[in-house]
Amino acid sequence: MPATSPLRLCVVGATGRMGGTIIKEAPADRFTITGAVAAEGESAIGKTLRELEIADIDLKVVPPGSLGEQLRSADVCISFTAAAAEVANIPTVAASGRPFILGTTGFSDSQQAYVLEALGGKVPCVMASNFSIGANVLFAMAATLKSLPPDFDVSVLEMHHSGKADAPSGTAKTIAEIVSKARGYSTTVHGRSGLSKRAKGEMEVASFRGGGHPGEHAIYAFGPYEMLKFEHVAFSRSAFAQGALLAAGWISQHPEPRIYSMLDVLGFKV
Ligand code: NAD
């Protein structure tokens, strides 16, 4: 298709906080929403995006059973749903060959392994625990903590709205992985209570849940006499939606069937 034609998007999780934001924010000169998929049994199924006041588009929301059909008329699939939903839907995405933007978090280790196996080498895919540009800069900064002396301890604190299902956030897990690799940490502690002194070689991750907070992550590096703090705060879900749309445009130009990260999209090295 000519480079100037709008990219046709199928949005899975179209009625959710993230899917709805992506649909609302996709500029019509660059994107056309051709598919909107939501959970089976939701009252939104069969209603249009206009009726649902998501966007001024007369496109009906369909259940996941119609995903394969929706993908036939899409250039890119974007999915922000739930871990179990991805496990069920990903074989259809992989069979379609359509480039895939996967934003869902909260996979168990076995679900994560399944997703990587099901997508790897099948479709071009950008998978990221956080699609915001600032959080990806934070990932790059996390890697620089490698150069701190061994007596510095590193912790991550994340905050999200009370409706968030998974804890710690996928972003906090990514930061913990980057820091643990950089500093050779072998264990991760999630919050503390009772007698719980900090051991050497330990990564610490804590989570707060409350209100409508769209997301905040802070990395602390505690030295004996000083402290470093790197922080990223999302003002709204637009931070993630804009990144996901950027990734959709990017993946449409990268046809090799492999799994990329948002760091690849932004050209950052970690
Ligand atoms: P939400 O609960 O508001 O929306 C979930 C959506 O998924 C709904 O539209 C629902 O109908 C749909 N859904 C559920 N099961 C489905 C199925 N089997 N098939 C198709 N659709 C299905 O959730 P949310 O706040 O929009 O978050 C969605 C996911 O995105 C979560 O895992 C969240 O942690 C993650 N997230 C990622 C980023 C990032 O930058 N990577 C940012 C924010 C949220």
Side-chain angles (χ1 to χ4, degrees):
M1 73 192 282
T4 50
S5 299
L7 207 59
R8 297 170 302 166
L9 295 183
C10 173
V11 178
V12 190
T15 57
R17 285 170 284 238
M18 275 307 302
T21 308
I22 289 166
I23 292 171
K24 279 191 180 82
E25 300 209 351
D29 59 332
R30 292 197 286 123
F31 300 99
T32 305
I33 310 299
T34 55
V37 182
E40 182 80 57
E42 237 182 51
S43 59
I45 300 291
K47 294 190 178 132
T48 65
L49 294 174
R50 189 187 303 278
E51 285 165 336
L52 295 164
E53 297 182 357
I54 293 173
D56 293 335
I57 305 172
D58 293 311
L59 176 72
K60 280 191 177 160
V61 176
V62 299
S66 304
L67 177 58
E69 192 190 323
Q70 299 287 305
L71 291 175
R72 278 197 280 283
S73 52
D75 299 311
V76 175
C77 177
I78 299 188
S79 189
F80 284 73
T81 65
E86 297 301 346
V87 168
N89 292 342
I90 277 172
T92 306
V93 178
S96 77
R98 290 293 179 275
F100 189 40
I101 305 299
L102 178 54
T104 302
T105 64
F107 295 109
S108 66
D109 289 347
S110 61
Q111 286 174 327
Q112 177 86 2
Y114 172 82
V115 165
L116 295 179
E117 173 68 27
L119 292 171
K122 314 276 189 348
V123 289
C125 172
V126 181
M127 186 173 175
S129 59
N130 195 312
F131 275 90
S132 81
I133 291 169
N136 282 274
V137 174
L138 192 70
F139 293 155
M141 290 167 92
T144 67
L145 298 178
K146 183 182 174 57
S147 47
L148 284 174
D151 57 354
F152 275 68
D153 294 317
V154 184
S155 301
V156 175
L157 174 61
E158 58 100 351
M159 301 181 197
H160 282 87
H161 57 92
S162 48
K164 182 166 175 60
D166 53 314
S169 67
T171 305
K173 283 191 195 168
T174 302
I175 294 168
E177 277 165 24
I178 293 170
V179 171
S180 297
K181 188 171 159 218
R183 298 191 58 76
Y185 292 161
S186 50
T187 53
T188 303
V189 169
H190 298 280
R192 290 181 191 277
S193 69
L195 296 174
S196 180
K197 273 193 191 171
R198 187 155 191 160
K200 282 286 152 214
E202 196 178 82
M203 180 74 211
E204 182 177 50
V205 180
S207 304
F208 286 178
R209 292 288 174 265
H213 200 322
E216 176 170 336
H217 294 84
I219 308 175
Y220 295 83
F222 302 102
Y225 312 110
E226 59 183 326
M227 182 189 95
L228 261 170
K229 181 181 176 189
F230 300 149
E231 188 172 49
H232 175 259
V233 182
F235 295 156
S236 77
R237 290 185 181 84
S238 302
F240 316 120
Q242 292 295 325
L245 290 167
L246 181 73
W250 186 90
I251 201 73
S252 69
Q253 304 298 315
H254 290 76
E256 195 190 327
R258 52 168 280 206
I259 300 176
Y260 298 93
S261 73
M262 195 59 188
L263 294 163
D264 295 315
V265 175
L266 296 169
F268 296 162
K269 298 266 178 286
V270 169

